[in-house]
Amino acid sequence: MTGRLFVIGTGPGNPDQMTPEARRAVEASTAFFGYFPYLDRLDLRPDQVKVASDNREELSRAEAALARAAAGEAVCVVSGGDPGVFAMAAAVCEAIDAGPAEWKTVDLTVVPGVTAMLAVAARIGAPLGHDFCAISLSDNLKPWDVIEKRLRLVAEAGLVIALYNPISKARPWQLGRAFALLREILPAATPVVFGRAAGRPDERMLVMPLGEAEAERADMATCVVIGSPETRTIARPGLPDLVYTPRFYREPSR
Amino acid sequence: MTGRLFVIGTGPGNPDQMTPEARRAVEASTAFFGYFPYLDRLDLRPDQVKVASDNREELSRAEAALARAAAGEAVCVVSGGDPGVFAMAAAVCEAIDAGPAEWKTVDLTVVPGVTAMLAVAARIGAPLGHDFCAISLSDNLKPWDVIEKRLRLVAEAGLVIALYNPISKARPWQLGRAFALLREILPAATPVVFGRAAGRPDERMLVMPLGEAEAERADMATCVVIGSPETRTIARPGLPDLVYTPRFYREPSR
């Protein structure tokens, strides 16, 4: 007997930004696995059970959810944002890949959501309006020299850069190092957006030029978006600046 | 007197993937500007007016919407997917930047949505599970040599690559050229996902190794996701293969 496994994204944390498809998956499930604060976003019925766990326990969480689904239950693994971007969908696939044969036949549905960089971009204008990338600054799962190499190459490519996991207590220096490295390649005036908790009551959006960007402006709830040389800022009287990247590419004028 | 301007994304086209926030913006607006097929996704009231226009008319569409909002109306600009990714939010910002002063004080709200690559990724597993980029293959707005340079650099960086606007009648050869270029850098076994109309009734998902990838498998409704050297495929008995990129980076074993 085989149950179902949903892997959903709640969106950035504003209930209005969670899709009906994700809400339906929640209604259809009886056991919920996820990081505490993401599970807290859900209003569950008395018959629905939460199994909360901490950060960095993603693989064992995925295994526990798969075991329960394989035993016949409708199970929901809950990510913030989109489950496919630096989140639980990859952990579930890793567990399926390495796990017992019956996990491969679990009825798996990944439900997409609004990932943080999209919510941040929307609140500030359109910084992701042209070619961009998303890079996790966490060196828990990849060596720091790989991160540096990637940052250099994408900056040379002229892509806008969205940084996920920019900073934490255990990783205090990485974002400052990334800014220093990018200052060697990008103009000092390049806008940097610190988008914290976009769409939630404690939202805070801040824009600084790369030349002055300070890592301390970010925390674990922040997605940092670094413009390309094309990215522009629009001053608006009485309103916050807009930051956007035009759809067209202008040849450098030097 | 100043109205409001919403710039929304409908998501990939499945009504269940459109957020409540986007739906609310639709209810609050009386004039709708967008590309025909995106406007057709909306169920409007008799007092709500559609102003449909064609592809490649984005800037004039944005200007018309801003003029109407500045005149006091509640106006909604409609994109598919997310409005901030290769879509109308950037065109609206361009129009504000170059337009009359009163456009800068229009009450602007960009409403994020589920962009195509997230919907495609969800249907196939988790190919965007680690660092990735989104590149438009259209050379209408940027020179082809810039696109080639970007593809080389992101492939060397080891990023998964999502290609938007991969092919059209007016741009028939670009995707084939991109595959040829990437074959020089990436292993022939790298999985390529052709994700067509993800989440819609005419959805079609296809996975081929890069060594055999054929541009003809894509059309205008396709988002092409090219794996990194880390990306893996899981065969499942009686079910489609899963494609995912692990959260951790493995040192190359050569």
Side-chain angles (χ1 to χ4, degrees):
Chain A
M1 177 190 176
T2 268
R4 292 201 68 172
L5 185 64
F6 296 99
V7 186
I8 71 159
T10 63
N14 174 340
D16 258 10
Q17 292 177 339
M18 180 167 165
T19 67
E21 186 184 25
R23 207 162 290 282
R24 208 154 297 175
V26 169
E27 285 161 17
S29 302
T30 50
F32 295 78
F33 289 78
Y35 178 47
F36 303 90
Y38 301 149
L39 290 185
D40 284 346
R41 292 179 184 169
L42 306 177
D43 283 323
L44 298 183
R45 302 184 305 262
D47 66 305
Q48 294 176 311
V49 178
K50 287 185 193 178
V51 185
S53 47
D54 211 340
N55 255 332
R56 304 180 67 169
E57 296 180 11
E58 288 80 9
L59 190 61
S60 55
R61 180 191 302 147
E63 290 166 345
L66 276 159
R68 198 137 164 180
E73 196 164 346
V75 175
C76 189
V77 172
V78 182
S79 283
D82 177 88
V85 175
F86 306 118
M88 286 303 298
V92 166
C93 289
E94 289 164 27
I96 292 173
D97 205 359
E102 69 259 32
W103 289 3
K104 293 193 171 57
T105 55
V106 164
D107 183 0
L108 172 70
T109 305
V110 181
V111 177
V114 174
T115 182
M117 65 180 166
L118 302 184
V120 167
R123 296 297 286 163
I124 203 81
L128 306 179
H130 205 70
D131 300 340
F132 64 93
C133 64
I135 292 185
S136 170
L137 221 55
S138 167
D139 53 356
N140 293 335
L141 298 165
K142 93 195 130 179
W144 178 252
D145 61 348
V146 171
I147 298 177
E148 288 209 351
K149 178 188 165 197
R150 290 183 175 181
L151 289 173
R152 276 185 209 286
L153 288 167
V154 296
E156 279 161 20
L159 268 56
V160 173
I161 303 168
L163 296 178
Y164 282 68
N165 307 316
I167 203 161
S168 74
K169 272 182 204 150
R171 296 180 291 100
W173 54 264
Q174 286 81 344
L175 181 59
R177 192 80 64 94
F179 285 150
L181 180 161
L182 293 171
R183 277 195 275 266
E184 295 170 15
I185 304 170
L186 294 169
T190 306
V192 176
V193 180
F194 295 83
R196 186 183 182 284
R200 303 206 293 271
D202 53 338
E203 171 181 301
R204 197 177 62 223
M205 304 294 293
L206 178 71
V207 183
M208 305 178 82
L210 177 60
E212 299 164 22
E214 297 161 340
E216 305 79 59
R217 304 303 184 107
D219 66 8
M220 278 183 66
T222 305
C223 181
V224 177
V225 179
I226 299 155
S228 76
E230 317 296 315
T231 304
R232 294 173 55 88
T233 301
I234 307 175
R236 298 186 298 172
L239 291 170
D241 289 357
L242 289 176
V243 177
Y244 79 101
T245 307
R247 298 160 304 136
F248 53 85
Y249 176 86
R250 234 184 304 241
E251 292 295 337
S253 50
R254 333 162 225 178
Chain B
M1 177 191 175
T2 268
R4 292 202 68 172
L5 185 64
F6 296 98
V7 186
I8 71 160
T10 63
N14 174 340
D16 259 10
Q17 293 177 339
M18 180 167 167
T19 67
E21 187 184 24
R23 208 162 290 282
R24 209 154 296 176
V26 170
E27 285 161 16
S29 303
T30 50
F32 295 79
F33 289 77
Y35 178 47
F36 303 89
Y38 302 148
L39 290 184
D40 284 346
R41 290 179 186 171
L42 307 177
D43 283 324
L44 298 182
R45 303 184 305 262
D47 65 306
Q48 293 177 311
V49 177
K50 286 184 192 178
V51 185
S53 47
D54 211 341
N55 253 331
R56 303 181 68 168
E57 295 179 13
E58 287 82 9
L59 190 60
S60 54
R61 179 191 302 147
E63 291 166 343
L66 277 159
R68 199 138 164 182
E73 197 164 346
V75 175
C76 189
V77 172
V78 182
S79 283
D82 177 87
V85 175
F86 307 117
M88 286 304 298
V92 166
C93 289
E94 288 164 27
I96 292 173
D97 206 0
E102 68 259 32
W103 289 3
K104 293 193 171 58
T105 56
V106 163
D107 183 0
L108 173 71
T109 305
V110 180
V111 177
V114 173
T115 183
M117 65 181 164
L118 302 183
V120 167
R123 296 298 286 164
I124 202 81
L128 306 178
H130 205 69
D131 301 339
F132 65 93
C133 64
I135 292 184
S136 169
L137 220 55
S138 167
D139 54 356
N140 293 334
L141 297 165
K142 95 194 129 180
W144 178 253
D145 61 349
V146 171
I147 298 176
E148 288 209 350
K149 178 188 164 197
R150 290 182 175 180
L151 290 173
R152 275 185 210 285
L153 288 167
V154 295
E156 280 162 19
L159 269 56
V160 173
I161 304 168
L163 295 178
Y164 281 69
N165 306 315
I167 203 161
S168 74
K169 273 182 203 149
R171 296 180 292 100
W173 55 263
Q174 285 81 345
L175 181 59
R177 191 81 63 94
F179 285 149
L181 179 161
L182 293 171
R183 276 194 277 266
E184 296 171 15
I185 304 170
L186 295 169
T190 306
V192 176
V193 180
F194 294 83
R196 186 182 184 284
R200 302 206 294 272
D202 53 339
E203 171 181 302
R204 198 178 60 225
M205 305 294 293
L206 179 71
V207 182
M208 305 178 80
L210 177 59
E212 297 165 24
E214 296 162 341
E216 306 78 60
R217 304 303 183 109
D219 65 9
M220 280 183 65
T222 306
C223 181
V224 177
V225 179
I226 299 155
S228 76
E230 317 296 314
T231 305
R232 295 175 54 89
T233 301
I234 307 174
R236 297 186 298 172
L239 291 169
D241 288 357
L242 289 176
V243 177
Y244 79 102
T245 307
R247 298 160 307 135
F248 53 86
Y249 176 86
R250 235 183 302 240
E251 293 294 337
S253 49
R254 340 162 222 173

